[in-house]
């Protein structure tokens, strides 16, 4: 199988955006509050939004299944308060669950959490439990910067995060460390904020000792790890200066990188520097980079092409494209096993 661990519902029907606009407007004028039950979206609308977009491209690229979570830039945890984020997370998570229910062999649901700046991370646990236990989510997205580019949250190694990590370990689901929209004009959302956050999260983990307390916690850093593989020598040197073990020894049993890197040299570097056991196939198709590369004639986000041209041995390639995902996402593996796959 080819398992893509990084997909977002970027093509959701327009009613979702209208519901969010009404929710945001209600922060100023409560009379504009939308239906708390969520937007009215029919199954046929969902099918059309998926079949003409993600599913079509999955078929064209030979991708069997995608872990599918709410649109990352729409999480926008900096808008409103915890109640705002809680209602929004419920609506978005329900919608991804419906996609997976309509296409059970092609999508497995992921979930966002109702984070909010300055709010105790433990407040996300009820929605985390609902998403996993009731909606079948096989993973969740954790935003290390709910402030939207101002970085007011404590590092991921701070003890305020511990209830979230404890619950993830209890539920046996990994988290993808994924920020949302930047409301700071200094940081372009997908061009700098996303990649900055990937790099920042890794450095936080390098500085701390989180996995001594949570040896079974699994965190996926997307977008190829931001700047991490490219500067691996810097991180090794910083670990040495901080009196820490080699990053490969201390982190790569718990930290994984995906392949959302959109050119061949970048994928080649990722797979040369990072052991293949710590790399997960992903594309984030119809995401930040949707165009066709004029130099190749193929979509930038057609990452399977890069991975399979990187010269990996067959066993390593199979690990990256399937086996690692089934190991890191045990609920996904159980789902596939129940389907006879």
């Amino acid at each position: 199988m080819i398992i893509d661990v990084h997909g977002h519902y970027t093509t959701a029907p327009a009613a979702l955006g209208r519901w969010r606009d009404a929710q945001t407007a209600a922060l100023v004028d409560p009379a504009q509050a939308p239906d708390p039950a969520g937007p009215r979206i029919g199954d046929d609308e969902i099918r059309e939004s998926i079949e003409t977009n993600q599913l079509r491209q999955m078929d064209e690229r030979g991708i069997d299944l995608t872990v599918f979570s709410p649109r990352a830039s729409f999480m926008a945890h900096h808008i409103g308060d915890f109640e705002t984020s809680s209602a929004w997370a419920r609506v978005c998570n329900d919608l991804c669950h419906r996609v997976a229910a309509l296409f059970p062999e092609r999508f497995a649901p992921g979930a966002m959490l109702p984070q909010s700046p300055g709010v105790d991370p433990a407040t996300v646990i009820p929605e985390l439990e609902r998403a996993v236990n009731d909606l079948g989510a096989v993973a969740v997205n954790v935003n290390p910067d709910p402030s939207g580019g101002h970085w007011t949250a404590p590092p991921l190694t701070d003890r305020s995060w511990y209830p979230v990590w404890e619950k993830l370990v209890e539920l046996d689901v990994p988290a993808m460390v994924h920020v949302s929209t930047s409301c700071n004009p200094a940081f372009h959302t997908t061009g700098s904020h996303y990649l900055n956050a990937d790099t920042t999260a890794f450095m936080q983990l390098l500085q701390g000792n989180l996995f001594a307390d949570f040896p079974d916690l699994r965190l996926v850093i997307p977008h190829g790890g931001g700047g991490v593989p490219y500067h691996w020598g810097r991180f090794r040197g910083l670990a040495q200066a901080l009196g820490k073990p080699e990053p490969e020894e201390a982190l790569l049993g718990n930290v994984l990188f995906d392949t959302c890197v959109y050119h061949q040299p970048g994928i080649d570097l990722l797979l040369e520097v990072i052991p293949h056991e710590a790399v997960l196939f992903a594309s984030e198709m119809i995401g930040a980079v949707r165009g066709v590369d004029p130099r190749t004639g193929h979509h930038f986000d057609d990452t399977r092409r890069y991975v399979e041209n990187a010269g990996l041995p067959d066993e390593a390639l199979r690990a990256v494209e399937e086996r690692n995902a089934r190991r890191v996402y045990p609920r996904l593996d159980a789902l596939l096993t129940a389907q006879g796959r």
Side-chain angles (χ1 to χ4, degrees), residues 4 6-11 53-54 57 61 68-73 178 188-191 194 223 260 262 282-291 299-303:
D4 186 336
H6 190 168
H8 299 298
Y9 201 177
T10 56
T11 61
N53 292 293
Q54 285 87 356
Q57 291 196 15
R61 301 175 189 185
F68 206 55
S69 64
R71 185 175 181 175
S73 62
H178 204 309
H188 183 276
T189 292
T190 56
Y194 281 18
H223 318 116
C260 291
Y262 297 145
S283 70
E284 200 178 7
M285 68 170 64
I286 315 183
V289 181
R290 305 185 183 190
H299 283 86
F300 284 102
D301 63 9
D302 187 359
T303 56

Side-chain angles (χ1 to χ4, degrees), residues 103-122:
F103 302 96
E105 295 191 350
R106 306 306 300 276
F107 295 93
M112 64 177 279
L113 299 178
Q115 298 175 248
S116 187
V119 176
D120 185 348

Side-chain angles (χ1 to χ4, degrees), residues 70 75 77 82 85-86 89 93 111-116 121 124-125 127-129 131 140-143 161 164 168 175:
M75 295 191 299
H77 294 117
F82 174 75
S85 286
S86 183
N93 291 340
M112 64 177 279
L113 299 178
Q115 298 175 248
S116 187
V124 308
I125 288 177
E127 179 62 17
L128 169 57
E129 291 181 316
V140 298
N141 296 331
V142 169
N143 185 351
W161 287 97
V164 180
L168 287 171

Side-chain angles (χ1 to χ4, degrees), residues 72-138:
S73 62
F74 268 28
M75 295 191 299
H77 294 117
H78 62 280
I79 293 176
D81 56 15
F82 174 75
E83 295 303 322
T84 306
S85 286
S86 183
W88 180 229
R90 174 176 287 270
V91 164
C92 291
N93 291 340
D94 286 348
L95 202 55
C96 287
H97 166 71
R98 289 178 64 191
V99 170
L102 289 170
F103 302 96
E105 295 191 350
R106 306 306 300 276
F107 295 93
M112 64 177 279
L113 299 178
Q115 298 175 248
S116 187
V119 176
D120 185 348
T123 55
V124 308
I125 288 177
E127 179 62 17
L128 169 57
E129 291 181 316
R130 187 187 79 92
V132 173
N133 294 328
D134 298 347
L135 304 183
V138 301

Side-chain angles (χ1 to χ4, degrees), residues 4-325:
D4 186 336
V5 302
H6 190 168
H8 299 298
Y9 201 177
T10 56
T11 61
L16 179 67
R18 291 194 295 269
W19 192 95
R20 177 62 160 173
D21 289 343
Q23 187 196 38
T24 302
L27 297 173
V28 177
D29 178 8
Q32 298 192 53
D35 183 350
R40 295 184 179 182
I41 299 173
D43 286 353
D44 287 345
E45 292 178 89
I46 294 176
R47 288 191 186 95
E48 182 180 5
S49 73
I50 293 294
E51 289 173 347
T52 59
N53 292 293
Q54 285 87 356
L55 193 58
R56 175 180 58 81
Q57 291 196 15
M58 288 168 65
D59 288 341
E60 291 172 353
R61 301 175 189 185
I63 295 172
D64 295 292
L65 180 138
T66 296
V67 177
F68 206 55
S69 64
R71 185 175 181 175
S73 62
F74 268 28
M75 295 191 299
H77 294 117
H78 62 280
I79 293 176
D81 56 15
F82 174 75
E83 295 303 322
T84 306
S85 286
S86 183
W88 180 229
R90 174 176 287 270
V91 164
C92 291
N93 291 340
D94 286 348
L95 202 55
C96 287
H97 166 71
R98 289 178 64 191
V99 170
L102 289 170
F103 302 96
E105 295 191 350
R106 306 306 300 276
F107 295 93
M112 64 177 279
L113 299 178
Q115 298 175 248
S116 187
V119 176
D120 185 348
T123 55
V124 308
I125 288 177
E127 179 62 17
L128 169 57
E129 291 181 316
R130 187 187 79 92
V132 173
N133 294 328
D134 298 347
L135 304 183
V138 301
V140 298
N141 296 331
V142 169
N143 185 351
D145 174 37
S147 69
H150 294 289
W151 288 95
T152 58
L156 298 173
T157 52
D158 187 83
R159 296 196 71 87
S160 62
W161 287 97
Y162 273 35
V164 180
W165 308 144
E166 289 170 358
K167 184 56 64 173
L168 287 171
V169 171
E170 176 190 325
L171 295 171
D172 203 15
V173 294
M176 180 171 282
V177 181
H178 204 309
V179 287
S180 185
T181 297
S182 169
C183 58
N184 183 338
F187 301 121
H188 183 276
T189 292
T190 56
S192 59
H193 186 44
Y194 281 18
L195 304 182
N196 292 346
D198 303 333
T199 309
T200 297
F202 185 83
M203 189 63 205
Q204 290 177 0
L205 298 171
L206 180 68
Q207 289 177 273
N209 197 26
L210 182 64
F211 302 116
D213 290 334
F214 299 99
D216 296 323
L217 178 64
R218 301 174 302 282
L219 299 178
V220 179
I221 298 183
H223 318 116
V228 174
Y230 186 70
H231 289 287
W232 195 244
R234 175 180 290 260
F235 290 106
R236 291 184 61 233
L238 289 170
Q240 184 183 79
L242 292 168
K244 301 289 185 178
E246 286 274 354
E248 184 172 335
E249 172 191 341
L251 299 180
L252 294 191
N254 304 88
V255 176
L256 302 104
F257 302 83
D258 77 12
T259 64
C260 291
V261 178
Y262 297 145
H263 66 150
Q264 190 68 52
I267 289 288
D268 291 345
L269 176 73
L270 171 68
L271 295 173
E272 179 181 351
V273 172
I274 303 300
H276 69 262
E277 296 89 352
V279 179
L280 301 166
F281 176 75
S283 70
E284 200 178 7
M285 68 170 64
I286 315 183
V289 181
R290 305 185 183 190
V292 172
D293 185 345
R295 298 182 183 178
T296 67
H298 301 289
H299 283 86
F300 284 102
D301 63 9
D302 187 359
T303 56
R304 182 180 176 187
R305 184 178 303 276
Y306 310 137
V307 170
E308 295 188 349
N309 286 336
L312 286 177
D314 288 345
E315 284 300 305
L317 179 61
R318 186 173 177 187
V320 170
E321 291 187 329
E322 176 185 6
R323 288 179 175 171
N324 293 345

